[in-house]
Amino acid sequence: MKLTNLTLSTPYLSLDPIFYDEVAPSPLKNPCLVSLNNDALKLIGLDPSQLNINELEGVLNGTLYLEGSRPFAMCYAGHQFGYYVPRLGDGRAINLGCVNGWNLQLKGSGQTLYSRQGDGRAVLRSSIREYLMSEAMYALGIPTSRALALISSDEKVARERWERGAIVLRLAHSWIRFGSFEYFFHTNRHKELESLADFLIAESYPHLIGTDDRYLKMFGEIVQSTAELIAHWQSVGFNHGVMNTDNMSAIGLTIDYGPFAFMDTFESGYICNHTDEQGRYSYDNQPRIGLWNLERLAHALSPLITAEKLQTELEKYPVFFTTHLMKLIRAKLGLESENEGDSDLFRSLFSVMENGQIDMTPFFRTLSRYNGNREPLLALTLAPNQLNEWLERYNTRLKSNTMSTQERHTQMLRTNPKYVLKNYVLQEAIDLAENNDFALVNNLLKLAQSPFDEHEKFEHYAMPTPMKFKNLKLSCSS
Ligand code: AMP
Ligand code: MG
């Protein structure tokens, strides 16, 4: 199908007008396409070979409206760094409508009712990061919003310096956030709170429509998907950086990519967001912040569900989290079945990685070819004795496997990526793109989409991060 044959629907606009602001995107000056993601095009039923690039640019820049599109920004609130902010909302995101169950949203397309002091824009730097990382996370099997295309422009946007304005067209099955519920609860609009719950169920939990206790079941599913999402992040060394409740998806997706990072070397207290001085959103705090955020959501849902029932669901969080994390680590280590000593074995691996300043991606990748020869693994640590001791235990543990070494290798090479997009790699692509060279962005998209494959030309990106690029300081402004 062609782009101009798409028909969008806007079910969100059937809610009370208090839920949204109908607002037109403000076009950027001299837009140009940086990258297009054919995989995402197919999700909305488009044929890449029939795509007219000018039309796509027009849709991203808000100069071409698709059939049925009625652009709008969504209203929400949220706890930011522990403090409640009564009204946030899409300050620079504008929804276009829905097709094939995907809600299309422009990010960086100008001011809305919710922009507060902001300019409604996004810069090329942060747009490239979101565009590439959401596709990378998807390919790693981690629930996430997706990205369809990215445009740059000659529009000057003021941050710490002048930067280029850009727009990403992103997609999700839902853009509803924990903070969406908080807004209606804290403004005492319980009727609207219930409408939002019904809307979310119809949109994303349709199997719950008309069932008893559906709000409770919906909350239970959010608890589980959030716990599992964060287990995923922990398993690959991903630090989101801004886990405010307005950035928490009501369907357990990774959304709103900001100063995120894949750790360079494993460090449990790692903080990717340099404005987060207390480390509220550090890597090792992510699981407990997930629960804290769910508690805020539970509070917001209290007019619909009794406190005891909410509490019962919240208490399942640690079990969901631990069970899922154990499952993921077991797969990363190529272990077939559960074993009593696993949690201790896994915990000690994390301290081995921390003490040896190990880069976890090349470590697990190298381990995926482990056949008893320890040299390639020992070369990755500054604490070889500890790793040796751990490998002793691992050798013993592997004996309870029934599959062959070859089968284990095959399975592990499909589980442990060769490539994750470290910040320094993204920064190289950004530096080139700011000078209108988009080749690396497009190459990284391919890398992001096939992280388990070999890419000879990009072998260097699979190595531990070079010392001079470690812990790159990222600006939080975006
Ligand atoms: P974030 O932490 O990036 O998800 O943003 C937090 C809130 O600030 C959201 O409501 C955003 O829409 C809003 N926001 C962030 N940057 C801008 C901007 N440049 N203009 C308007 N609103 C913004
Ligand atoms: Mg946000």
Side-chain angles (χ1 to χ4, degrees), residues 232-252:
H232 264 292
W233 291 354
Q234 301 307 101
S235 76
V236 294
F238 177 79
N239 187 200
H240 179 281
V242 199
M243 289 176 70
N244 293 331
T245 54
D246 51 298
N247 291 339
M248 296 295 292
S249 152
I251 58 169

Side-chain angles (χ1 to χ4, degrees), residues 366-374 377 394-395 405 408-409:
T366 308
L367 194 69
S368 307
R369 294 200 170 89
Y370 177 62
N371 58 6
N373 173 14
R374 298 180 185 187
L377 288 164
Y394 182 53
N395 283 345
T405 305
R408 172 167 55 81
H409 289 179

Side-chain angles (χ1 to χ4, degrees), residues 76 177 246-247 256:
Y76 50 82
R177 299 137 192 276
D246 51 298
N247 291 339
D256 286 15

Side-chain angles (χ1 to χ4, degrees), residues 87-103:
R87 200 172 81 164
L88 292 161
D90 293 328
R92 54 171 170 170
I94 296 183
N95 300 277
L96 298 179
C98 180
V99 58
N100 265 3
W102 291 98
N103 294 291

Side-chain angles (χ1 to χ4, degrees), residues 76 80 88-89 91-92 115-116 118-121 159 247 256:
Y76 50 82
Q80 296 192 315
L88 292 161
R92 54 171 170 170
S115 297
R116 297 171 294 156
D119 55 13
R121 293 302 184 196
R159 294 294 181 261
N247 291 339
D256 286 15

